[in-house]
Amino acid sequence: MKKLFANIEKMTCGFKPGYTIYCRAYKHVIEQEIALANIQEGDVVLNIGCGSLPFTSIHIAQMTNAKVIGIDRDVEAVKNAKEITKKFGVDDRVQIIHGDGEEDLGMDFEVAIVALQAGAKERIYKRLMEQGGEGCRVVFRQPREKFESVYGSLPDSLIPTSKAVHPMKAFKESFLFRGVEKKEGSA
């Protein structure tokens, strides 16, 4: 299923009306996530798993004027996403790069939004919390139970600070986690 949606994104990325139709369902989700993570102008937002159609990255930039860095490990998706950001005139606020959320991305950020299809969610969580540090806000889209085997999910031991509920078919919630202050003497 993940590959099917990735292929649909790749096929429709050059067709602006297709992009618009595909993204319409997500606009409300992204509005909720902006409110959940309190994304504001001046924030640097990482969008892990932006895909060929970086609608989350674009909507966040358009709705908040934040700087967004869309990250994907698929080279073709990165190429397509760069073209889309140019078409929508947001390439001055949305940077698309090749990378993996499991790795140290070597950049500061205030907020990270992790796509449903991103793999190794627990490792991505640990890396983002290490890298983001105190005060960072990290949002994960959580699949419905019947899709957990397809998309994976965070372990139940990770308790979100807050969450938003969505009427989407594949995912039901976005979880917010906040970076905590490290105690003196701890690594």
Side-chain angles (χ1 to χ4, degrees):
M1 183 179 283
K2 284 168 69 168
K3 284 191 180 237
L4 172 67
F5 281 104
N7 287 332
I8 289 170
E9 284 186 7
K10 287 176 183 175
M11 289 186 303
T12 62
C13 68
F15 183 58
K16 196 169 180 177
Y19 171 89
T20 304
I21 291 166
Y22 187 79
C23 299
R24 193 170 291 149
Y26 287 92
K27 189 172 184 179
H28 182 67
V29 168
I30 297 163
E31 288 171 347
Q32 286 183 298
E33 290 173 342
I34 288 169
L36 182 68
N38 191 28
I39 300 172
Q40 300 176 18
E41 185 174 357
D43 282 340
V44 174
V45 180
L46 304 182
N47 177 208
I48 308 292
C50 68
S52 286
L53 294 175
F55 48 84
T56 297
S57 297
I58 291 171
H59 285 324
I60 289 171
Q62 289 174 331
M63 292 178 194
T64 68
N65 212 23
K67 178 183 178 185
V68 183
I69 302 168
I71 301 162
D72 206 286
R73 61 184 181 186
D74 180 329
V75 174
E76 185 180 355
V78 168
K79 178 182 169 277
N80 293 337
K82 285 180 179 183
E83 290 174 15
I84 289 288
T85 60
K86 278 186 181 169
K87 278 186 183 179
F88 279 81
V90 294
D91 54 325
D92 61 329
R93 289 175 283 154
V94 178
Q95 177 185 4
I96 304 294
I97 64 171
H98 181 256
D100 190 326
E102 293 180 54
E103 300 169 4
D104 184 346
L105 299 166
M107 59 186 72
D108 293 331
F109 67 93
E110 284 76 34
V111 182
I113 306 250
V114 181
L116 179 66
Q117 70 271 18
K121 288 179 177 56
E122 188 171 7
R123 287 196 300 264
I124 292 171
Y125 169 86
K126 287 177 182 175
R127 172 58 66 191
L128 290 172
M129 288 308 204
E130 283 175 9
Q131 192 175 337
E134 181 184 349
C136 74
R137 288 119 41 212
V138 179
V139 175
F140 278 83
R141 293 178 181 158
Q142 283 294 100
R144 294 195 177 277
E145 290 169 11
K146 66 182 178 181
F147 293 109
E148 283 182 0
S149 64
V150 175
Y151 293 109
S153 65
L154 290 169
D156 292 338
S157 60
L158 294 175
I159 309 298
T161 303
S162 189
K163 62 184 175 181
V165 178
H166 310 297
M168 304 299 287
K169 183 174 179 87
F171 65 98
K172 63 179 178 176
E173 297 168 313
S174 293
F175 286 175
L176 172 69
F177 298 92
R178 289 188 174 272
V180 294
E181 182 178 356
K182 291 185 180 176
K183 296 185 189 258
E184 198 169 313
S186 67

